[in-house]
Amino acid sequence: MSDQKVRPMDAFPRPLQDPGAQLDPFDWYRSQRAAGGVRYDEFRDCYDVFDYETVKRVLADHETFSSNKLTSPDYTEETTTAISRSMLHRDPPEHTELRETVEDLFRPGTVAELAPDVEQMAEDFLDRAVAASDGEFDLVESFAYPLPVTVIAGLLGVPPEDRDQFREWSTTAISSSAMGPDDGADVREELYEVLAEMRTYFEDLLAARRENPTNDLLSRIAATGELSAEQMFGFVVLLLIAGNVTTTSLVTNAVWTFGERDLFDDLRGDEEALDLAIEEVLRYRSPVRTMERWTTEAVTLGDHEIPAGSSVVAWLGAANRDEAVFEDPDSFVPDRQPNRHVAFGHGVHTCLGASLARLEARTALTALLDRFETIDPVTEDLPPTGSMLVYGPRSLAVQYEVR
């Protein structure tokens, strides 16, 4: 990799460029908190924030730390993609208006109604995984990835006959979260082609929903009459990436962690214990590694005077290991209470799909525990996602015995 400056989310800090360090960054996190919790990275031209209280401050103060990429001189309307123009990268009041369009569909009570469908999907994917394997399969490829993609497809209203194509598009769109400066023009061109195909498809589907609405998210979006085509497509891509990445990594990181500590038997059949353990996975191996913000004015963080228009990267995984907040933070405590992690963010941008991610994770892990007598993750030489956004293994082989 050259020494030229890169965008902060396109490359890891130099101490984390080794794949092993990307999966085990916790000593570095600890050293950065001990050094004051805020550092300037000349290589990436940004300010990294590691301690719990400062991460929360950055995420909560949207007036000073904007989510809008166009606050930065490095970005223009021409260079941002649909995800960059979604509500994820908008501040109030626009963010509030966009979020309110669909917020009630993601409330815990509404999400709970999806449980039977998610349970059936989980069983179907495990049926396929077992039928296609002989005692071992890739958890990510066969289960942790396709399950949330299929749930999102159902929520949006993608017809069953189109869901294989939807999953192919999703794979390419989600991979954009791991694109770095060394990716060639052909990789980026493929992404832009897929986004164009998806846009045409969903514009046609949205038009159909305006004429014949059904009980799905696309009908809700189409019925508002207040969103531009760009905003509507931004919703779709946001759900694809944010709505899938968190659950895929959460399920994968949970199986990885439970296997390390031989917890499967302890958690089988105990929903309360499983829920607490999932919350501890969210803290201990946070699926979303970082969130980026841009300063709208000069501001002081720690010992640093940060100019307006600067990138500030909040490290959620580091905040969730802060010894000032969590007792024995580097130990996995499956029944930890209270557990005030910020794995789903903080402030107005707290993850809209948090309840859905929890439901999917609980359902997926319950299905695994009910199906298999033994589950043995193969954890040697795990490949990281390679993404500054997403933390966890890109694949995880599991050996099993059916109950």
Side-chain angles (χ1 to χ4, degrees):
M1 186 175 292
S2 69
D3 289 334
Q4 68 180 7
K5 290 180 179 178
V6 296
R7 289 177 177 173
M9 297 295 282
D10 281 350
F12 283 93
R14 295 192 188 280
L16 297 187
Q17 288 181 6
D18 178 78
Q22 291 169 26
L23 286 179
D24 189 13
F26 305 110
D27 286 345
W28 186 67
Y29 290 169
R30 190 184 310 109
S31 72
Q32 297 308 306
R33 290 193 304 269
V38 182
R39 71 187 283 269
Y40 175 68
D41 188 326
E42 184 176 1
F43 169 57
R44 292 159 49 246
D45 190 21
C46 71
Y47 294 85
D48 291 311
V49 178
F50 300 91
D51 67 279
Y52 183 87
E53 292 300 335
T54 310
V55 164
K56 285 184 67 176
R57 175 187 170 187
V58 168
L59 297 181
D61 183 1
H62 59 81
E63 294 183 351
T64 306
F65 303 97
S66 173
S67 295
N68 190 342
K69 284 189 174 185
L70 299 182
T71 303
S72 167
D74 290 337
Y75 295 91
T76 66
E77 287 284 3
E78 290 72 27
T79 60
T80 54
T81 59
I83 186 65
S84 303
R85 291 189 286 270
S86 72
M87 68 178 179
L88 187 65
H89 291 291
R90 287 293 180 262
D91 299 315
E94 184 181 3
H95 167 269
T96 306
E97 294 167 356
L98 290 169
R99 186 172 176 122
E100 286 177 347
T101 303
V102 295
E103 191 167 30
D104 62 319
L105 297 178
F106 291 91
R107 298 188 189 282
T110 307
V111 165
E113 297 174 4
L114 300 173
D117 290 339
V118 179
E119 289 168 6
Q120 186 59 58
M121 291 177 196
E123 294 298 333
D124 290 345
F125 282 117
L126 285 182
D127 286 343
R128 296 177 201 175
V130 170
S133 64
D134 184 17
E136 179 177 320
F137 62 88
D138 183 346
L139 181 80
V140 177
E141 179 182 11
S142 298
F143 188 61
Y145 167 67
L147 176 62
V149 169
T150 305
V151 172
I152 290 296
L155 276 175
L156 284 169
V158 175
E161 61 270 20
D162 293 341
R163 289 182 186 175
D164 286 343
Q165 177 65 73
F166 182 81
R167 280 196 288 272
E168 290 180 19
W169 284 334
S170 301
T171 299
T172 302
I174 291 169
S175 70
S176 70
S177 67
M179 285 200 310
D182 293 333
D183 285 308
D186 55 336
V187 175
R188 295 178 183 274
E189 185 63 28
E190 180 186 11
L191 171 65
Y192 297 143
E193 288 177 1
V194 164
L195 289 175
E197 291 176 10
M198 287 174 58
R199 180 165 186 154
T200 298
Y201 174 84
F202 280 105
E203 284 178 348
D204 291 344
L205 201 54
L206 282 163
R209 290 296 188 272
R210 289 191 191 97
E211 295 296 322
N212 297 292
T214 60
N215 185 29
D216 57 41
L217 188 54
L218 284 178
S219 296
R220 170 66 64 89
I221 294 172
T224 65
E226 300 173 359
L227 303 183
S228 67
E230 193 67 34
Q231 288 172 326
M232 287 189 287
F233 185 56
F235 264 124
V236 172
V237 180
L238 173 60
L239 287 170
L240 270 181
I241 297 178
N244 285 294
V245 164
T246 299
T247 302
T248 297
S249 291
L250 175 53
V251 172
T252 305
N253 293 348
V255 171
W256 175 22
T257 305
F258 297 166
E260 281 183 331
R261 288 152 183 81
D262 196 22
L263 290 174
F264 293 115
D265 288 341
D266 294 339
L267 298 174
R268 185 179 286 112
D270 190 335
E271 184 172 310
E272 181 179 356
L274 181 58
D275 283 345
L276 289 174
I278 289 170
E279 294 303 309
E280 180 69 341
V281 172
L282 285 162
R283 183 200 70 83
Y284 185 76
R285 284 182 167 142
S286 307
V288 178
R289 189 192 302 269
T290 57
M291 291 184 177
E292 188 178 15
R293 297 292 186 263
W294 294 270
T295 53
T296 59
E297 59 187 41
V299 63
T300 301
L301 287 179
D303 296 330
H304 294 267
E305 299 292 332
I306 302 178
S310 298
S311 168
V312 177
V313 177
W315 290 75
L316 307 186
N320 285 333
R321 295 284 190 113
D322 192 336
E323 48 281 304
V325 177
F326 301 98
E327 183 179 354
D328 195 13
D330 291 323
S331 293
F332 184 83
V333 181
D335 59 350
R336 185 184 294 272
Q337 294 186 80
N339 195 340
R340 297 182 291 133
H341 64 74
V342 289
F344 288 115
H346 181 66
V348 297
H349 282 282
T350 298
C351 179
L352 178 65
S355 293
L356 179 59
R358 286 181 168 109
L359 170 70
E360 290 174 324
R362 182 193 313 122
T363 303
L365 292 164
T366 298
L368 287 165
L369 293 169
D370 289 349
R371 176 73 62 107
F372 301 123
E373 185 67 32
T374 62
I375 304 171
D376 295 310
V378 181
T379 58
E380 293 80 14
D381 300 320
L382 289 176
T385 63
S387 168
M388 271 285 292
L389 174 66
V390 184
Y391 170 83
R394 187 174 66 251
S395 63
L396 179 66
V398 291
Q399 299 171 347
Y400 64 87
E401 293 181 2
V402 178
R403 298 189 75 188

